[in-house]
Amino acid sequence: MKGTLAHRRPSTRTRTAVVGLLAAAALTACSSGATSSGGSSSTSAAPAGGSATSAAPAAGSGGSSNISIFVVGGKSDDPFWSKVKRGVDDAAKVVEAAGGKVTWLGPQNYDNLGPDAAKLILSAKSQGATALIGADWVPDAQNQAFKTLTDAGIPVFLYNAGGVTEAKNIGALSYVGSEEELAGKAGGEFFGTNGAKNVLCVNTLPGAANTEARCKGVSEGISASGGKSSQLPLPSSNFGNPTAVTQAIKAALLKDPSIDGVVTIATQDADSAAAAIDQAEATGKVKLGTFDMDDNQLSRIKDGKQLFCIDQQPYLQGYLAVSQAYAYNAYGLRVAQESVLTGPAIVSKDNVDAAISGVKAGVR
Amino acid sequence: MSAQLSEARPQAPSGAAPRPPSPLSIRGLVYRPEAGALIGTLGVFVFFAVFGGSKFLAAGGTASWLNVAAELGIIAIPVGLLMVAGELDLSVGSVLASSSMTLAIVSGHWGGPMILGIVLALAAGVVTGLLNGLLVTRTNVPSFVVTLATNFGMAGLTLGLSRVITGTTSVGIKPDPASKAVFGTLIGGQFEVAIFWWLAVAAVVAWVLQMTKYGNWVLAVGGDPVSARACGIPTERLKVVLYVASGFGAALVGVIQTCLYNGAQVANGQSFVFNSIIAVVVGGVLLTGGYGSVIGVILGTLTFAIVNQGIYYTGWNADWASFILGVLILAAVLMNNTFRRLALSARAGKKA
């Protein structure tokens, strides 16, 4: 189960990310020990002499032939991570054209994710990484390893999980990924602009930080347009049984006819919710949305049976992280934001065709 | 449908005679073991009819708990028989998952014919049941441990193979119209065709228990395995057959859910492990074996399903659903036990 959670909801920790903490830029620049020329005010905090020997080739060295970027990600046969890896591979073409290289390191399985990822991070260092991109899934287990690199002056970029908070903790230069509560808020706002007033957030994992954040975000988002959202927590006695989930959602819809929107925390639950809306004879009246994306969601959106799904655009996480690492290694360039959000992206009938062709191309 | 084992019991030619007069396995069975379960089912139904209102009593509300009960019941009946025979089967969760993934991979991912996928999916259940039965009877390791191990083993095998073959943990499938009609239709847009499968399984099992010697065998094995074996009952073969039946039931539900929801997930099914035991125990079957009936298991399944779904018709905060489920199940079992004790003592009193 842990493995499933780890890849289905890879950014549990990102909820703590807070955009706009000004102090962060100075802190991250400091621990990188690099002469950053990309930041505006943060350059003042970069102690050029800190670890000059290792920092010199890491940032803005001019010559890019010795650039070796290491990316620690999930299993590449995992559907989510295979899209991240596509982004990494595409960005790697630029690096390779300049004579550098990009190496992907992934765990064999998710059974022991934190310690395994920590080993991969240290392995990247021993293989001579000039920059490291990593997901901070289990900060308690991984941060020590990340710090070993930042202390040695090797620039670290967080992506997918960890958020700005952990990026600051370990001295990473930036975070590229999505944020659960913001994603929920976007979903709630989209419900609002499409006329929904009372949205049910079906939570089949009540109590988990990321799913609670998703429902909380939906509630915040829809309140902007005067609507409201309540949570339907389904107990573990229903977990993994689509019939029980379907019938429970149907019951909630029959009980409260004012519900005109249902949002689910995962795609399997969205399939159950679609069946529940049918069986409650509420098709057309109750709008359906979900976090995450798969073929079923897209075909329902295309058929007009579903309002939207929320995509965190994993391709961009890989692509932007590698691009940032390369620009920093080669030219000392940095984006000004401490977090680059790749999601939420709402997929609705207006852009579903692009999403479907993206799925066919293996990038969504 | 009077699938009561007790009525067949006195006809046992050799099973009863050499056994010590155990009130649980002999006299108790003369009393209908499902009487307490019936009161429980009616009790929770009235409870939710009062608090759930007209929506709960309407077709949609009825379908809610019947659909859940049907799928659970197909698994709970053979699991109940095993428990009457004194054994547990904790592997049904993984069997369900492996069966549905087998069907989805063979007929969805590889695009094979539906019938092939269905046969292989059911075969996965039968083979697991056979393995369980052989391990339990040959090694004498408690069935709790053996089937717990096969539950984990099958879960890992399903996850691992799915990942290797498809690269994902969730596989979609487009069932052909015939398979959809037989396994995954909603009658009237509400009632799953699984309800008929449930009735069919119940009827077949009830007939076998009522009209053949095997009903007595099951009770005898659970009540006193040593005497049962001494009387010439092939206890080991009987248990293997019961495990195969339980594996088949779980695999059938896997096929039904895959056809109904057009896909399979490796994490599906685990909730059936405990829910089936809850349904069986609420239905009046003794965890220690030797006492119980098919009607009781059906009633227990209905009780569980009504409580499981009824809560969502009350409009109460669903945070409390598990709590209410726990309280009502405990109440149902206590009432069951009280009723059984009363019945047994009344019987004993008359005889004395």
Side-chain angles (χ1 to χ4, degrees):
Chain A
M1 193 60 65
K2 190 184 172 188
T4 320
L5 280 175
H7 90 265
R8 281 273 168 233
R9 296 162 184 126
S11 40
T12 311
R13 297 281 179 160
T14 63
R15 73 199 166 86
T16 46
V18 180
V19 185
L21 288 175
L22 295 172
L27 279 171
T28 48
C30 180
S31 29
S32 78
T35 47
S36 166
S37 59
S40 48
S41 63
S42 67
T43 43
S44 61
S51 48
T53 46
S54 57
S61 60
S64 50
S65 57
N66 54 358
I67 287 178
S68 177
I69 298 169
F70 277 74
V71 185
V72 174
K75 293 171 52 164
S76 50
D77 61 352
D78 174 327
F80 181 90
W81 284 98
S82 70
K83 296 163 202 163
V84 175
K85 188 160 183 300
R86 272 298 297 272
V88 168
D89 291 346
D90 284 359
K93 286 171 189 160
V94 174
V95 183
E96 281 153 13
K101 62 174 179 152
V102 177
T103 312
W104 175 278
L105 300 176
Q108 291 301 309
N109 54 53
Y110 297 128
D111 297 341
N112 196 21
L113 190 57
D116 283 356
K119 285 194 195 78
L120 293 176
I121 293 162
L122 294 174
S123 160
K125 178 170 183 272
S126 66
Q127 292 180 51
T130 59
L132 176 86
I133 295 159
D136 203 358
W137 295 296
V138 191
D140 292 340
Q142 292 173 248
N143 282 5
Q144 191 62 42
F146 277 125
K147 277 181 188 151
T148 313
L149 273 85
T150 51
D151 288 349
I154 301 168
V156 171
F157 298 83
L158 280 191
Y159 77 148
N160 178 258
V164 175
T165 316
E166 296 303 333
K168 275 195 291 179
N169 271 345
I170 61 167
L173 296 180
S174 74
Y175 168 73
V176 183
S178 87
E179 212 262 287
E180 302 290 8
E181 202 168 320
L182 282 181
K185 209 170 161 191
E189 282 163 4
F190 195 76
F191 265 126
T193 53
N194 282 277
K197 290 283 168 217
N198 185 4
V199 172
L200 191 69
C201 185
V202 179
N203 189 352
T204 45
L205 282 174
N210 57 337
T211 62
E212 296 284 346
R214 287 178 167 191
C215 282
K216 185 162 173 264
V218 170
S219 180
E220 284 170 17
I222 197 165
S223 63
S225 60
K228 62 166 183 154
S229 171
S230 54
Q231 198 185 125
L232 176 68
L234 295 182
S236 57
S237 58
N238 288 338
F239 190 83
N241 183 359
T243 297
V245 173
T246 300
Q247 299 305 329
I249 297 171
K250 183 184 87 180
L253 293 179
L254 291 174
K255 182 69 195 170
D256 185 355
S258 74
I259 293 173
D260 52 9
V262 173
V263 63
T264 58
I265 55 145
T267 52
Q268 186 187 3
D269 298 333
D271 297 348
S272 298
I277 292 170
D278 274 351
Q279 291 176 37
E281 289 163 359
T283 313
K285 193 197 96 177
V286 176
K287 299 179 176 70
L288 175 62
T290 186
F291 291 85
D292 299 343
M293 189 174 96
D294 69 10
D295 292 352
N296 281 350
Q297 320 306 315
L298 293 177
S299 62
R300 267 201 304 273
I301 291 170
K302 190 158 172 60
D303 296 346
K305 291 177 188 161
Q306 183 166 333
L307 187 61
F308 68 92
C309 61
I310 300 171
D311 185 12
Q312 57 170 295
Q313 305 192 113
Y315 174 89
L316 282 181
Q317 294 179 6
Y319 186 85
L320 293 178
V322 171
S323 299
Q324 283 189 43
Y326 172 70
Y328 187 73
N329 263 182
Y331 313 115
L333 300 175
R334 282 179 61 191
V335 294
Q337 289 93 344
E338 56 198 8
S339 82
V340 178
L341 293 178
T342 63
I346 303 267
V347 177
S348 68
K349 66 177 190 307
D350 299 329
N351 56 1
V352 68
D353 288 326
I356 289 173
S357 54
V359 169
K360 287 210 180 89
V363 300
R364 294 191 85 159
Chain B
M1 276 295 289
S2 60
Q4 193 195 4
L5 300 181
S6 53
E7 290 170 9
R9 187 73 194 88
Q11 300 162 7
S14 55
R19 295 172 62 187
S22 154
L24 281 186
S25 51
I26 300 175
R27 287 186 217 144
L29 288 170
V30 179
Y31 273 81
R32 306 181 72 87
E34 64 271 13
L38 179 65
I39 294 173
T41 308
L42 292 177
V44 295
F45 183 80
V46 170
F47 180 87
F48 285 109
V50 170
F51 291 102
S54 58
K55 294 281 187 206
F56 177 76
L57 295 170
T62 310
S64 266
W65 51 265
L66 263 185
N67 290 345
V68 171
E71 290 179 8
L72 180 58
I74 293 170
I75 295 177
I77 288 173
V79 165
L81 285 187
L82 264 175
M83 284 170 68
V84 172
E87 303 290 353
L88 288 167
D89 188 354
L90 305 181
S91 72
V92 291
S94 292
V95 170
L96 194 158
S98 69
S99 141
S100 53
M101 285 308 287
T102 303
L103 173 55
I105 289 173
V106 170
S107 305
H109 186 71
W110 286 336
M114 275 303 284
I115 184 72
L116 179 68
I118 290 168
V119 167
L120 288 178
L122 295 176
V126 168
V127 168
T128 314
L130 196 62
L131 182 71
N132 278 333
L134 291 177
L135 282 174
V136 167
T137 52
R138 295 283 161 84
T139 64
N140 282 328
V141 174
S143 58
F144 183 96
V145 178
V146 168
T147 58
L148 190 64
T150 45
N151 193 45
F152 279 113
M154 286 297 286
L157 204 59
T158 308
L159 176 61
L161 286 178
S162 307
R163 196 81 90 181
V164 167
I165 295 170
T166 69
T168 163
T169 56
S170 149
V171 177
I173 187 174
K174 290 195 169 56
D176 60 39
S179 314
K180 189 86 182 164
V182 173
F183 294 105
T185 325
L186 290 173
I187 296 155
Q190 293 282 0
F191 294 91
E192 284 179 21
V193 76
I195 295 167
F196 292 101
W197 282 101
W198 180 34
L199 293 178
V201 168
V204 168
V205 172
W207 181 83
V208 168
L209 295 185
Q210 177 84 1
M211 306 303 287
T212 71
K213 62 192 172 187
Y214 304 111
N216 301 322
W217 286 10
V218 171
L219 281 161
V221 167
D224 189 344
V226 178
S227 307
R229 194 179 295 114
C231 298
I233 296 176
T235 56
E236 301 198 340
R237 207 175 342 135
L238 184 71
K239 282 183 182 174
V240 171
V241 169
L242 289 177
Y243 271 109
V244 168
S246 144
F248 182 85
L252 179 59
V253 175
V255 170
I256 288 170
Q257 287 200 338
T258 306
C259 289
L260 189 60
Y261 296 100
N262 308 317
Q265 268 87 14
V266 289
N268 275 8
Q270 292 300 336
S271 62
F272 282 93
V273 174
F274 278 113
N275 291 356
S276 63
I277 294 176
I278 292 171
V280 167
V281 171
V282 169
V285 174
L286 275 184
L287 263 176
T288 45
Y291 189 96
S293 77
V294 172
I295 288 276
V297 173
I298 291 172
L299 291 169
T301 308
L302 284 173
T303 305
F304 178 85
I306 291 170
V307 174
N308 185 279
Q309 291 299 320
I311 179 83
Y312 301 110
Y313 286 90
T314 58
W316 299 336
N317 187 339
D319 284 343
W320 299 93
S322 284
F323 174 74
I324 293 170
L325 190 66
V327 168
L328 287 180
I329 286 168
L330 193 61
V333 173
L334 286 176
M335 189 167 60
N336 242 332
N337 283 0
T338 310
F339 197 88
R340 180 169 55 225
R341 210 164 32 240
L342 283 174
L344 290 175
S345 60
R347 181 68 183 165
K350 265 184 222 163
K351 280 213 162 172

